Amino acid sequence: MRTTIFQILKAVLAAVLCSLVFVLIFTVIIQLFSLPATVVKPVNQVFKIIAILAGGLIFIRGDKGLIKGVIHGVVSVIATLLLFGLISMSLSVSWLFLIDLLIGAVAGAVSGIIAVNIKKNV
């Protein structure tokens, strides 16, 4: 149980850090190339998915990859919402947050399933 919790926490931390790095890099790109504001949300969603996949693939091991992955994805979405809300000094939750949670859960589930199956074969 303890190992499972640490795996999930490490995966969440990796996902949050990856999201933060992606967003910082994207912010620089927006400033350099004057991209329209309409690109921000879709690109951030892609970054969030990639970050969740990366965190799960790196840190989830053993068995029950689906369950670990779903938990990791949901907690990662919540943690990034709280972090970016803290950074921007505004926290707003709408019905779109439920879609974010669902996407995070699916991305986490996929990463968890792949991670446990790759680790068994290596």
Side-chain angles (χ1 to χ4, degrees):
M1 180 70 164
R2 175 185 263 183
T3 305
T4 300
I5 292 171
F6 281 126
Q7 284 180 16
I8 293 170
L9 288 177
K10 288 189 283 188
V12 167
L13 182 61
V16 170
L17 290 176
C18 283
S19 290
L20 187 60
V21 168
F22 288 152
V23 168
L24 290 174
I25 291 170
F26 188 55
T27 302
V28 171
I29 291 170
I30 288 173
Q31 295 297 321
L32 289 175
F33 298 106
S34 301
L35 298 175
T38 55
V39 244
V40 174
K41 286 192 185 234
V43 171
N44 281 340
Q45 196 69 337
V46 170
F47 288 159
K48 199 179 308 182
I49 292 168
I50 293 170
I52 291 170
L53 288 170
L57 288 173
I58 294 169
F59 290 108
I60 294 178
R61 294 185 173 86
D63 57 352
K64 299 180 184 173
L66 176 67
I67 296 168
K68 290 178 187 178
V70 168
I71 294 169
H72 150 64
V74 169
V75 174
S76 294
V77 169
I78 293 169
T80 55
L81 173 81
L82 293 174
L83 176 67
F84 291 121
L86 184 66
I87 290 171
S88 68
M89 294 294 198
S90 68
L91 183 65
S92 65
V93 178
S94 68
W95 66 273
L96 292 173
F97 180 64
L98 295 175
I99 295 172
D100 272 351
L101 286 175
L102 180 64
I103 292 171
V106 170
V110 169
S111 70
I113 292 169
I114 293 171
V116 298
N117 287 313
I118 286 175
K119 306 292 190 228
K120 284 181 182 177
N121 298 328
V122 174

